[in-house]
Amino acid sequence: FDSRLNGKKYIWGVIGAYALSKVMELFDAPIYSALGVVSGHSLKHLIAAFATYWVWRMLRLRSVVHDR
């Protein structure tokens, strides 16, 4: 069933941030050896927090679509 609420575009931000966080986790050691300061694991947590922000933003800005 299609939702009566708008804000579906934010789901793509969440999915993208989650995918990027998994890439950071996968390349943990190479990222650390390249940057020398921060590891992919640390970046994974920062990006996952950003995904949480997108969920909050979606919930905060959504409204009922009346044109149905």
Side-chain angles (χ1 to χ4, degrees):
F1 296 99
D2 202 13
S3 176
R4 296 180 320 159
L5 300 172
N6 66 354
K8 297 175 197 173
K9 63 183 176 182
Y10 294 106
I11 294 296
W12 290 109
V14 173
I15 292 169
Y18 177 75
L20 185 58
S21 73
K22 293 304 282 182
V23 169
M24 294 296 135
E25 181 180 34
L26 183 64
F27 294 105
D28 180 32
I31 289 171
Y32 183 72
S33 63
L35 299 177
V37 180
V38 66
S39 67
H41 186 82
S42 300
L43 292 175
K44 174 188 89 164
H45 286 286
L46 290 173
I47 295 168
F50 185 68
T52 304
Y53 165 76
W54 276 109
V55 171
W56 172 83
R57 185 172 168 86
M58 177 188 66
L59 293 174
R60 180 91 171 128
L61 298 176
R62 70 183 179 169
S63 62
V64 175
V65 178
H66 296 288
D67 61 343
R68 292 184 181 242

